[in-house]
Each structure stands twice: as C-alpha cells, then as structure tokens.
Amino acid sequence: MKNNKPFYKIWWFWLIVVVLIVIIFGMIGGGGSSSDDDTSNKASGHTTTQTEKGAKSSSNKDTLDINYDNHKILDQKSYDVSFNDNSWQPANIKVSKVSIFKLNPYTSDDDSNTKAEGYIIIHMSVAANRDITTYPDQGTLVTSDGQQVDAVLDTVKGYKENWAGEISKGVTKQGDILFPIEKLSKISDMKTLRLKFDAYYDTDDYEDENANHSYDITLNLN
C-alpha cells in the first residue's frame, strides 16, 4: 500500500511558497517604479510680488506726483519744441519740450482752495553770455483758451524746479517751468502758450537800457 504524505510535508511545496513570497515582496517594493518616476521635475522660486499679495502696483505710470501726492492722469501729450531766442545778447534761451497733463481735479492751492484740472510743464535752458539774473521758473503763462497763470515751485517727480536765479557767464542752467491749469477740457484746446518772464544784469551805468529785458515767447503746439 502506497504511503501518501500530507502536502505540507513535501519539500517542493515549501519551495513554491518561498518563491511566491519573494515574487510578491519584489512587486511591492518596486511597484510604481519606472524610468519616468526616476526623473525629477525642476522648480524655481521668487519673492512674492505685490500683485500676488493682492496689493496695487506702486508704478506711477498713470499718475503725476505733485508735492508727494499722486494725481491720476486722464490724458497727456508731449510736444518736442525747437525754440531758440538770442534776441537779448547776454543770454541764449532754448525751449525743447512741453508736456500737458489732464488730471483728476485736485486742490492746487490750499490757501485759496483753487482747483486744477491740468498741468503744463515747459522744459527750458538758459545759457549766460555774462553774469545775469532771471527767473523763468517764476514766469507767467497765457494759454490759447484765455487762462493766465503764474508758475509755481511745486515738487513734481521726474522734473527739476527752482533752478533759475543768478547765472554766471559761461554757465548753462536748465530745468522745468510748472503751471497748474484751472480748466482743461481737452489737451487739444491748447493751441499756443505765451510765456513771459524778465531778465537783467547788474551795471553801474544807469543809462544802459539793455540791462533789463522782458521775454515774451509764444509756443505753437502742433
């Protein structure tokens, strides 16, 4: 009579069990592994921007900074000018640029509570052929739409104010002349600008009629 052993006492049964265990653990340890998984994706970082924080941009492209207050620009236009006046021999006056801004109305003079809707900036240089004194940055402007306004010594970001005065022979000073404009419906309304200011030089000759000169300049805006 043939003696049959229980299956768990047969040596090859346990060999099969061991092989299966090795295969299962191998699959678990390497599961999901592929050449794609071994490739690392690159990442970069940066300081969180104001926009990402939800803050407004600090750019002043759409504002004019007057006396450290930003005023919204509704419209603007710049004119390249080639004006040269050497009619008074002691000095040579040049105007190279005019910029006009239409702004949200703002208080341009706290004392009088005057409002302004616009701003005109004239860039000028003065070359002295002898010692002179002149203050074009304190001159008067007459606009083609009938407004007359005195220049102010505001602080406007990007522009140079309070630059004139005494100018020695051989020296050229340049800067900007600043005018808040009370009424400005459209920039195109400004066809011409008439600028007036005085200049003089010191002399002991009381009969020297050339010692004082009044500039009266008209700029055509095309």
Side-chain angles (χ1 to χ4, degrees):
M1 184 175 180
K2 188 175 182 181
N3 185 20
N4 292 329
K5 294 181 180 180
F7 69 90
Y8 54 83
K9 291 186 176 182
I10 302 175
W11 66 270
W12 49 262
F13 169 77
W14 291 109
L15 177 63
I16 293 174
V17 171
V18 172
V19 171
L20 289 175
I21 291 173
V22 172
I23 293 174
I24 291 172
F25 275 97
M27 292 179 64
I28 293 174
S33 176
S34 66
S35 59
D36 290 340
D37 294 328
D38 293 337
T39 302
S40 298
N41 293 319
K42 293 183 178 180
S44 62
H46 63 271
T47 301
T48 305
T49 66
Q50 292 299 315
T51 300
E52 291 169 331
K53 293 177 181 178
K56 292 183 178 179
S57 172
S58 60
S59 173
N60 289 330
K61 291 182 180 179
D62 297 325
T63 61
L64 188 65
D65 186 332
I66 305 172
N67 296 328
Y68 309 105
D69 287 327
N70 288 327
H71 301 280
K72 183 175 178 57
I73 297 173
L74 304 179
D75 194 13
Q76 63 178 305
K77 189 170 183 180
S78 293
Y79 301 84
D80 291 326
V81 181
S82 296
F83 177 84
N84 185 20
D85 187 335
N86 56 8
S87 59
W88 188 52
Q89 190 276 332
N92 187 16
I93 305 294
K94 291 183 179 180
V95 177
S96 59
K97 190 173 185 179
V98 174
S99 298
I100 303 179
F101 301 87
K102 178 175 173 59
L103 306 172
N104 264 349
Y106 75 100
T107 301
S108 59
D109 188 330
D110 291 329
D111 293 334
S112 63
N113 201 32
T114 301
K115 303 287 185 180
E117 296 179 351
Y119 214 90
I120 296 178
I121 302 177
I122 299 175
H123 186 76
M124 174 181 286
S125 67
V126 180
N129 298 318
R130 64 172 295 168
D131 292 355
I132 65 168
T133 301
T134 184
Y135 293 94
D137 55 348
Q138 298 179 32
T140 299
L141 188 72
V142 180
T143 66
S144 55
D145 64 350
Q147 299 182 73
Q148 179 172 316
V149 58
D150 293 330
V152 295
L153 298 178
D154 284 344
T155 298
V156 181
K157 187 174 182 179
Y159 297 90
K160 182 180 181 181
E161 83 288 348
N162 197 21
W163 53 276
E166 295 182 358
I167 306 177
S168 299
K169 178 182 179 180
V171 173
T172 298
K173 284 191 175 183
Q174 60 180 334
D176 299 292
I177 313 171
L178 313 174
F179 298 95
I181 302 300
E182 186 174 350
K183 300 294 183 183
L184 183 58
S185 176
K186 296 182 298 183
I187 291 179
S188 58
D189 291 340
M190 297 294 176
K191 305 295 184 183
T192 62
L193 301 175
R194 182 183 176 192
L195 176 63
K196 300 188 293 182
F197 61 95
D198 296 326
Y200 66 91
Y201 58 80
D202 293 328
T203 179
D204 295 330
D205 184 357
Y206 295 105
E207 296 182 359
D208 185 355
E209 297 181 353
N210 193 48
N212 296 278
H213 183 75
S214 294
Y215 283 98
D216 195 335
I217 298 167
T218 295
L219 303 172
N220 297 310
L221 305 180
N222 300 318

